[in-house]
């Protein structure tokens, strides 16, 4: 264990092989915990449904107790209201969890594990309106112009943690673009399409897939590539500079139409496409893409899984879920 002083000058020892993960029970959390365990560290879920310590990120006392009891080597903070629609439906909860919950956790780390690495899963949604003017993939020096509640909460937490880095928080701020893969909820477009196709193949639905706007272009990643970046920041030989911010992106967006057509080409039965007015949502951003060269240079990270494989694996995952239902 490494002794360190906290902000009050008290000696604190960190447990070298423990990585605490908030939001470990979620889609990304499950993949991250699996990847971290492959590196040989002990993974301890905190502030999530399967947590062994702490139970509510909105409760400062519970958060402090969770961190004080573990004194982890690193903390990866995933817990959030992660769906834009959910944040829009309940803005107060989104701000309480995404901003204030992040503050509670960061303060607890500074007090009880002051040299621990703090890895924050932000969002490219923070850039918002900046995508409208950009003809090229956006880099980390682009200003934040969030257009929705979710993006605003993530932008605010990102800025807050950048300031806290100046006070000693060893934070790495990630801004991942859209990511998907096996295990994701059908609230998200790729998983939604894959679920419908799998259910059609299984005879559980009529052979017509319901879709909304197909024109938007987004920079999609495989979740397994995203968690690789988080693991590098948490457990790599050298920690990134405190306050460093990294996009996670491919630089090559896919249109929703192309995603749909690729999944349909994998379907085992004929499927027609039907427009669904209930799925049509306002879209102020036609195209969003990111420049991840900073993550490549600092972490040696780059996306490695072809998106066609991501789509095939997601469809196979839904086929398995339909068989097991």
């Amino acid at each position: 264990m490494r002794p360190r002083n906290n902000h009050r000058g008290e000696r604190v020892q960190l447990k070298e092989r423990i990585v605490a993960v908030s939001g470990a029970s979620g889609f990304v959390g499950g993949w991250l915990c699996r990847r971290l365990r492959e590196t040989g560290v002990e993974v301890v879920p905190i502030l999530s449904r399967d947590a062994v310590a702490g139970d509510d990120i909105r409760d400062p006392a519970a958060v402090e107790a969770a961190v004080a009891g573990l004194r982890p080597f690193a903390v990866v903070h995933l817990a959030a209201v992660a769906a834009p629609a959910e944040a829009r439906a309940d803005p107060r909860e989104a701000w309480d969890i995404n901003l204030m919950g992040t503050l509670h956790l960061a303060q607890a780390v500074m007090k009880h594990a002051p040299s621990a690495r703090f890895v924050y899963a932000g969002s490219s949604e923070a850039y918002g309106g900046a995508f409208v003017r950009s003809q090229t993939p956006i880099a980390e020096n682009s200003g934040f112009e969030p257009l929705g509640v979710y993006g605003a909460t993530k932008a605010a937490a990102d800025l807050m943690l950048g300031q806290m880095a100046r006070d000693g928080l060893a934070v790495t701020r990630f801004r991942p673009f859209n990511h998907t893969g096996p295990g994701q909820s059908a609230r998200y477009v790729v998983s939604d399409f894959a679920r419908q196709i799998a259910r059609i193949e299984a005879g559980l639905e009529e052979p017509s897939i319901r879709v909304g706007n197909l024109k938007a272009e987004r920079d999609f990643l495989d979740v397994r590539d995203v968690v690789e970046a988080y693991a590098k920041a948490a457990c790599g030989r050298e920690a990134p500079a405190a306050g460093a911010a990294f996009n996670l992106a491919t630089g090559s967006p896919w249109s929703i139409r192309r995603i749909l057509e690729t999944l349909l080409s994998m379907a085992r039965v004929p499927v027609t496409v039907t427009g669904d007015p209930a799925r049509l949502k306002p879209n102020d951003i036609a195209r969003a893409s990111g420049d991840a060269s900073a993550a490549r240079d600092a972490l040696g990270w780059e996306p490695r899984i072809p998106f066609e494989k991501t789509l095939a694996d997601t469809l196979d995952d839904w086929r398995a879920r339909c068989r097991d239902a």
Side-chain angles (χ1 to χ4, degrees):
M1 295 190 292
R2 302 178 302 167
R4 291 292 187 272
N5 291 343
N6 66 12
H7 69 295
R8 293 181 297 190
E10 300 166 337
R11 297 292 274 178
V12 176
Q13 287 189 326
L14 300 186
K15 298 177 181 177
E16 291 281 1
R17 306 302 295 174
I18 289 181
V19 177
V21 179
S22 76
S25 61
F27 164 57
V28 178
W31 283 107
L32 175 64
C33 291
R34 187 177 299 118
R35 181 67 188 98
L36 287 171
R37 290 185 178 111
E38 289 173 353
T39 71
V41 302
E42 180 182 354
V43 179
V44 180
I46 60 171
L47 308 167
S48 55
R49 286 187 294 273
D50 57 354
V52 298
D55 59 1
D56 191 341
I57 199 167
R58 294 168 293 187
D59 181 350
V63 175
E64 184 170 345
V67 175
L70 291 173
R71 302 189 311 280
F73 171 79
V75 175
V76 185
H77 180 34
L78 304 177
V81 175
E86 289 183 10
R88 188 168 57 248
D90 193 344
R92 179 178 295 276
E93 181 179 52
W95 282 103
D96 283 347
I97 293 174
N98 294 2
L99 178 61
M100 296 309 299
T102 301
L103 176 62
H104 299 155
L105 185 56
Q107 287 181 322
V109 168
M110 292 183 72
K111 181 176 180 181
H112 296 288
S115 62
R117 301 182 188 185
F118 189 102
V119 179
Y120 173 64
S123 174
S124 63
E125 292 281 331
Y127 294 123
F131 290 120
V132 177
R133 296 185 304 279
S134 178
Q135 301 302 311
T136 58
I138 276 181
E140 291 84 357
N141 60 2
S142 176
F144 287 164
E145 301 178 37
L147 299 179
V149 174
Y150 172 72
T153 63
K154 300 302 274 187
D158 190 306
L159 290 170
M160 177 186 69
L161 292 172
Q163 181 279 315
M164 294 181 78
R166 295 178 177 272
D167 291 339
L169 183 68
V171 61
T172 303
R173 297 172 292 164
F174 284 105
R175 298 164 188 170
F177 282 62
N178 297 64
H179 43 292
T180 188
Q184 190 176 38
S185 163
R187 294 176 299 176
Y188 300 89
V189 64
V190 171
S191 199
D192 175 35
F193 289 167
R195 174 183 179 274
Q196 290 189 71
I197 291 171
R199 287 180 60 82
I200 290 169
E201 291 177 344
L204 301 173
E205 291 187 10
E206 295 297 317
S208 180
I209 188 170
R210 299 177 302 282
V211 304
N213 174 32
L214 300 178
K215 295 180 180 179
E217 297 180 46
R218 296 292 183 265
D219 198 330
F220 279 92
L221 294 154
D222 191 292
V223 65
R224 293 163 287 193
D225 280 332
V226 171
V227 301
E228 184 66 25
Y230 297 165
K232 283 178 177 290
C235 302
R237 182 169 298 178
E238 294 186 10
F246 300 111
N247 288 339
L248 298 178
T250 69
S252 301
W254 279 55
S255 71
I256 306 303
R257 183 178 300 279
R258 182 183 176 194
I259 290 170
L260 175 63
E261 291 173 348
T262 302
L263 284 168
L264 288 175
S265 74
M266 300 174 184
R268 296 168 178 168
V269 297
V271 179
T272 61
V273 177
T274 303
D276 184 354
R279 295 168 184 261
L280 290 173
K281 303 173 184 176
N283 178 33
D284 298 320
I285 300 172
R287 178 185 174 95
S289 181
D291 177 357
S293 57
R296 181 188 63 233
D297 295 343
L299 301 172
W301 177 89
E302 59 183 2
R304 299 184 181 279
I305 300 174
F307 196 53
E308 292 86 351
K309 175 173 172 52
T310 306
L311 295 177
D313 289 352
T314 304
L315 180 54
D316 283 343
D317 175 64
W318 273 109
R319 286 168 173 152
R321 291 198 232 183
C322 287
R323 286 195 302 270
D324 296 340

